Amino acid sequence: MSYDEPAAAPQNLPLPLAARRDRAVRAAVARGLVSEAEPVVGLLDVAGIRESAGALRAAFDEVVAPGTPVLHSFAVKAAALVPVLRLLADEGLGAEVASPGELELARAADVPPERTVLDSPAKTAAELRGALALGIAVNADNPEELARIDALVRSAPTPSTVGIRVNPQVGGGSIGAMSTATATSKFGVTLQDEGARDWLVRAYLDRPWLTALHTHTGSQGVPLPLMAAGVRAAYELAEEINAAAGRRQVTTLDIGGGLPVNFDSDETTPSFADYARLLRREVPGLFDGRYALITEFGRSLLAKNGLVLARVEYAKSAGGRPIAVTHAGVQVAVRTVFAPDSWPLRVAAYDAQGHPGTGTPVTQDVAGPCCFAGDLVARARELPPLAAGDHVALLDTGAYYFSNPFSYNSLPRPAVHGFTTTPDEVHFAQARAAQTLPEIVTESGGPHSTALTTLG
């Protein structure tokens, strides 16, 4: 597996994040990217994405031994948009995929197979066969999947790096659904269950082609020390396997991703450098050059670099509380609406021309367009008064909010535009077109409208 990366430094940004964001909102309104006809749109800060990718590279360059192969693979699920994957590939990142669809997106973005990693707890035989033929790195999730790979490797040698995902069972964070290293997690082969560790060592000793080890402790809500504990457990297992083999059989450690994001401000905390330095203190052997490294970060690369911008359709009140009814709700902010305590979002108010709101803040709700009472993206939030024709921006939504649509009420998926800023203007490029109403009809079985009536 090749890990060569272009030498690049973080881009010098002429404007801070908030200033770039405000200019982009104003320009999007002025150019009609958000309008009565297109009342919600996604915006991605291209310079910010490049800066985040540069920060990731620099953080690990600081701690690894010179010449250590490092592949930073982007978790495609976090932003399943081909132009985003192509931009990150331009920054030297590969792709971590977890489905045939995500693999096709990575291939459409020209991410080479040798810079692609396949992770999924439910890979089919066809998926495995295709990945191994292409030379894509594969992490087996469980003993039955490993047996499947056994048969495929026997029938056709593969250039792929193949490993096993282990669950270090180090515990969970504050969001249970995001914690993948709990005692009963559905992911990976457990390390602490009776007999599991011995089975893992033997699995490697019996398969000289098994040369990688993968772990991922979780993502949002998982503290850095817990993430480091999961990596340390995988590293110690690799050392044990290599000692038992009497050689360096495990040569690649995939430490996953999962760096949490601060959703309270524009500050990027924790940083990639914070995590890399913690790993250097807790697992120093990880970086001494004996192991090639793979990372799989997603949310932490994109979240701060995107926003959802929506028009306020109506302003009303109920029980004395103002409510701004907007076009951004559960169809774009699924997790925030259904689990607001775990996934709160900052909301910024803008006027009809896209300028930041200036009125004295009042306590108000910000509602989405969907037909159920819980479709709120902010509850009792202090914001400048919002009126019909104004705009709201859901901040820190560059990751997952464009790739986890919810088809409630058959609302169309919004367009997504990337932007860059110069001292004189804002430049936009469309990353995804808005879904059309005919496309919704087709997706919902329109071409088969009489299929059920013909059954009698």
Side-chain angles (χ1 to χ4, degrees):
M1 192 169 187
S2 172
Y3 301 93
D4 295 334
E5 293 185 351
Q11 183 175 335
N12 292 322
L13 301 176
L15 292 173
L17 173 64
R20 297 199 308 274
R21 180 173 64 226
D22 288 348
R23 290 189 63 193
V25 168
R26 190 163 62 250
V29 172
R31 298 181 199 181
L33 300 186
V34 62
S35 64
E36 189 172 347
E38 299 286 348
V40 60
V41 68
L43 300 178
L44 285 169
D45 184 345
V46 171
I49 294 172
R50 290 190 185 276
E51 182 183 47
S52 293
L56 172 58
R57 293 195 309 268
F60 279 79
D61 286 348
E62 177 187 320
V63 298
V64 299
T68 301
V70 180
L71 170 63
H72 297 298
S73 62
F74 173 70
V76 172
K77 57 185 166 288
L81 297 169
V82 172
V84 169
L85 306 184
R86 185 64 178 266
L87 173 63
L88 290 170
D90 191 56
E91 288 295 312
L93 274 66
E96 184 265 337
V97 301
S99 72
E102 290 183 357
L103 175 56
E104 285 304 300
L105 296 181
R107 297 187 71 182
D110 289 333
V111 179
E114 66 270 17
R115 300 183 65 76
T116 305
V117 182
L118 174 61
D119 294 322
S120 164
K123 307 179 196 72
T124 65
E127 284 178 73
L128 290 168
R129 186 179 301 109
L132 294 172
L134 288 170
I136 291 168
V138 175
N139 291 312
D141 178 80
N142 56 71
E144 289 187 358
E145 184 180 331
L146 183 60
R148 218 175 246 186
I149 295 173
D150 274 336
L152 293 170
V153 170
R154 281 195 302 269
S155 64
T158 175
S160 295
T161 297
V162 182
I164 297 176
R165 176 171 182 168
V166 296
N167 172 9
Q169 296 176 296
V170 292
S174 61
I175 305 175
M178 297 292 104
S179 300
T180 58
T182 57
T184 58
S185 170
K186 74 175 189 179
F187 290 102
V189 178
T190 57
L191 275 183
Q192 298 183 37
D193 286 8
E194 185 177 356
R197 193 179 191 96
D198 290 340
W199 180 89
L200 279 162
V201 174
R202 175 49 55 187
Y204 278 83
L205 297 183
D206 290 345
R207 298 166 178 83
W209 47 265
L210 204 54
T211 60
L213 198 60
H214 173 229
T215 192
H216 176 74
T217 302
S219 54
Q220 195 65 22
V222 176
L224 298 194
L226 193 64
M227 292 173 62
V231 173
R232 182 172 58 247
Y235 167 80
E236 289 172 349
L237 176 61
E239 294 282 277
E240 181 178 342
I241 292 168
N242 288 345
R247 59 188 174 83
R248 291 183 60 247
Q249 176 168 339
V250 177
T251 57
T252 299
L253 289 174
D254 183 336
I255 63 173
L259 191 71
V261 169
N262 162 38
F263 285 99
D264 295 329
S265 71
D266 281 345
E267 188 178 3
T268 300
T269 56
S271 69
F272 293 118
D274 293 334
Y275 183 43
R277 291 165 186 164
L278 175 63
L279 287 175
R280 182 175 57 187
R281 291 195 301 271
E282 297 293 321
V283 200
L286 184 68
F287 300 120
D288 63 12
R290 291 178 297 128
Y291 293 99
L293 299 177
I294 299 175
T295 70
E296 300 174 353
F297 296 103
R299 177 181 293 106
S300 49
L301 281 162
L302 265 292
K304 292 285 176 196
N305 300 311
L307 62 95
V308 174
L309 181 64
R311 277 171 51 91
V312 176
E313 193 66 37
Y314 298 109
K316 57 187 290 187
S317 66
R321 180 182 295 174
I323 303 172
V325 182
T326 81
H327 289 273
V330 73
Q331 87 278 22
V332 291
V334 188
R335 288 173 174 171
T336 295
V337 169
F338 286 125
D341 293 337
S342 296
W343 300 99
L345 286 176
R346 293 182 294 149
V347 177
Y350 293 88
D351 67 17
Q353 288 73 46
H355 298 97
T358 57
T360 302
V362 298
T363 302
Q364 56 192 306
D365 291 347
V366 180
C370 292
C371 198
F372 72 99
D375 188 27
L376 300 170
V377 294
R379 294 168 169 80
R381 194 72 60 86
E382 294 288 321
L383 292 167
L386 289 162
D390 287 345
H391 300 85
V392 296
L394 311 186
L395 307 185
D396 306 326
T397 50
Y400 290 99
Y401 288 81
F402 302 143
S403 58
N404 284 356
F406 185 38
S407 296
Y408 199 91
N409 288 146
S410 296
L411 288 166
R413 290 186 287 275
V416 179
H417 298 265
F419 69 87
T420 57
T421 60
T422 69
D424 301 317
E425 60 181 310
V426 179
H427 300 277
F428 289 99
Q430 189 173 78
R432 181 181 74 190
Q435 188 179 29
T436 66
L437 296 182
E439 287 170 342
I440 292 176
V441 173
T442 298
E443 187 178 82
S444 301
H448 312 285
S449 60
T450 62
L452 303 185
T453 60
T454 60
L455 293 177

